[in-house]
Amino acid sequence: MDPAGPRTADALWANARLATFDPAAPGPYGMRDGWAVAVRGDTVAAVLPPDDPAVRAFGGRVTDCGGRLVTPGLIDCHTHLVYGGSRADEWEQRLAGVPYADIARAGGGILSTVRATRDLSEDDLAKAAFPRLRALAAEGVTCVEIKSGYGLTTADELKLLRAARRLGTQDYIPVAVSPTLLAAHAVPPEFAGRADDYVSLIVDEMIPAAARDGLAEAVDVFCEHIAFTPAQCDRIFAAARRHHLAVKGHVEQLSNSRGAELVARHGGWSADHLEYLDASGVAALAAAGTVAVLLPGAFYFLREKQKPPVEALRAAGVPLAVATDANPGTSPFASLRLAMNLACVLYGLTPAEALAGATREAAKALGRADRLGTIAPGKRADLLLWDATHPAEIVCQLGVNPLRVRMAGGVAHDA
Ligand code: NIG
Ligand code: FE
């Protein structure tokens, strides 16, 4: 990534347009124009006005940002980055008019990726995911959530979670990984017609194993008429909580199963997709403080018509995050900048909402708001220096990457 190698010394980025996303700073971007950010080790030590004596007195490496934009590292809070195979053939079918649900019912969709994924080792899966991780990181992602969900046996689900962990512990591209167990993604062929028995396997074996080995921070479900019922998801969430794992859900994507209310009732971190969310779902998320994660990539690739109720979510004060949903079927892309762009163009978010949704609000969706998502003292030093002055430029122009320097946990690389 950087021919000169990583730079880890204490650092001061001075003369920057800091879009801090800190609610204590002014405007929707929390802008601190001309300010400096001081980093000690892996942590932001101070955010300083230009005339602060500490700026001149700083002993470490000083970078003059020349008035350029600095933002927090981007956080992709919903991905299925680790999988085998490709589903370009299904995309071709869908373009010819075959619905996603029909392909899934005929054994394609998620189950076709399950077949390709079971064939790969942990090592092969990490290698297959690496180009996707690199693409996200090249545009400034410093923290990524990664779900299992293409194994659907205990051994294969744990294998996916280990591959995800491996992506977060390699040195080449420093990135924080938030791993999620999504065993309730589809009913595996061995359990066809016996979904409740598969749920028992998840509850009795997979969740305890993932919790015991520290392989997952959260448990996710696909609550939908082509996947799991609310009653089944309720059992899974209850087990997650018994094992001190957070809960989140793919809910209200293709129809309204009242999944968001279920997630909210369990105090979930996030409810994701939400195209068919109604007023009582919005109220439930608002009351629980659950983050609404918008995934406009899946909406775009599936050529959906029903949009999530953004105006109602906004009015109710529900935190809005934006993520890629990177997966081989419904959202085959690895660009959080494109996801933000789609959130603006297709769902009507403002660029400030989209950027907050990929930083501050995404950190909340991963239970990491104490360390990630804004530029403030005590936060992890995940900082991006852009060849831009207006934050909307990051969301607006595609195909040109304006990232100059990516700092993750205090380690800076030229982009
Ligand atoms: O987030 N909704 C369910 N899961 C994925 C789709 C995964 C797939 O098609 O492989 C999603 O859209
Ligand atoms: Fe998803």
Side-chain angles (χ1 to χ4, degrees):
M1 227 176 173
D2 175 12
R7 302 188 293 272
T8 51
D10 291 349
L12 183 85
W13 286 8
N15 188 22
R17 250 171 88 72
L18 292 182
T20 66
F21 292 94
D22 183 344
Y29 299 107
M31 193 62 83
R32 298 292 197 191
D33 211 358
W35 284 41
V37 53
V39 172
R40 298 256 181 236
D42 68 354
T43 297
V44 170
V47 178
L48 303 162
D51 48 4
D52 194 296
V55 172
R56 277 218 217 128
F58 189 80
R61 169 197 287 265
V62 177
T63 301
D64 182 347
C65 296
R68 290 186 190 79
L69 181 70
V70 171
T71 68
L74 302 182
I75 300 169
D76 194 350
C77 67
H78 179 139
T79 85
H80 309 245
L81 216 60
V82 179
Y83 60 82
S86 150
R87 305 226 303 269
D89 54 338
E90 288 182 8
W91 184 63
E92 214 168 26
Q93 288 179 43
R94 292 209 310 269
L95 288 174
V98 186
Y100 176 69
D102 289 7
I103 293 175
R105 273 193 215 97
I110 292 169
L111 291 182
S112 77
T113 299
V114 169
R115 288 188 289 276
T117 300
R118 285 180 177 177
D119 283 345
L120 297 186
S121 66
E122 176 190 327
D123 193 39
D124 290 339
L125 284 166
K127 283 199 181 107
F130 202 72
R132 300 187 276 270
L133 177 68
R134 189 167 48 212
L136 291 174
E139 289 189 338
V141 169
T142 51
C143 175
V144 61
E145 188 257 15
I146 301 179
K147 302 175 195 300
S148 65
Y150 293 117
L152 312 185
T153 67
T154 303
D156 287 307
E157 286 294 297
L158 298 182
K159 176 179 75 176
L160 282 157
L161 293 173
R162 285 199 192 91
R165 178 167 67 185
R166 207 184 263 219
L167 293 174
T169 50
Q170 44 77 37
D171 292 332
Y172 188 58
I173 298 177
V175 68
V177 169
S178 171
T180 299
L181 177 70
L182 175 58
H185 199 193
V187 178
E190 312 80 68
F191 283 87
R194 296 189 297 127
D196 283 324
D197 292 344
Y198 179 59
V199 171
S200 295
L201 180 73
I202 296 173
V203 165
D204 297 336
E205 199 174 290
M206 295 193 195
I207 290 174
R212 181 194 60 227
D213 296 349
L215 286 169
E217 293 177 4
V219 172
D220 197 346
V221 297
F222 187 15
C223 185
E224 191 58 68
H225 60 86
I226 57 166
F228 295 89
T229 65
Q232 291 165 341
C233 295
D234 194 24
R235 284 179 64 200
I236 291 166
F237 286 159
R241 294 178 67 198
R242 281 197 298 279
H243 289 274
H244 308 291
L245 299 176
V247 309
K248 55 175 84 172
H250 288 72
V251 294
E252 274 72 276
Q253 179 186 12
L254 308 171
S255 62
N256 187 349
S257 310
R258 318 219 79 79
E261 282 157 69
L262 182 66
V263 171
R265 207 178 318 131
H266 284 277
W269 274 350
S270 71
D272 303 33
H273 284 292
L274 303 175
E275 279 78 349
Y276 287 83
L277 188 72
D278 65 11
S280 68
V282 171
L285 295 181
T290 299
V291 178
V293 177
L294 304 177
L295 305 169
F299 172 89
Y300 162 77
F301 279 103
L302 292 173
R303 298 195 291 180
E304 293 288 346
K305 301 280 180 292
Q306 172 96 14
K307 297 184 184 185
V310 167
E311 190 46 55
L313 288 163
R314 203 186 260 142
V318 176
L320 297 177
V322 176
T324 61
D325 195 15
N327 77 66
T330 61
S331 201
F333 77 116
S335 168
L336 190 51
R337 290 182 59 226
L338 176 56
M340 289 189 282
N341 181 282
L342 293 173
C344 293
V345 173
L346 300 178
Y347 288 174
L349 265 64
T350 65
E353 285 174 323
L355 277 163
T359 54
R360 185 183 62 220
E361 309 306 317
K364 289 180 196 160
L366 298 181
R368 296 195 183 203
D370 57 332
R371 276 289 271 165
L372 305 183
T374 67
I375 302 176
K379 292 281 173 112
R380 205 173 100 108
D382 290 351
L383 301 170
L384 308 174
L385 172 60
W386 301 89
D387 238 334
T389 50
H390 195 303
E393 266 177 69
I394 297 166
V395 183
C396 169
Q397 188 187 201
L398 301 174
V400 176
N401 185 0
L403 185 63
R404 270 207 169 190
V405 181
R406 173 185 181 275
M407 179 186 282
V411 180
H413 285 92
D414 289 339

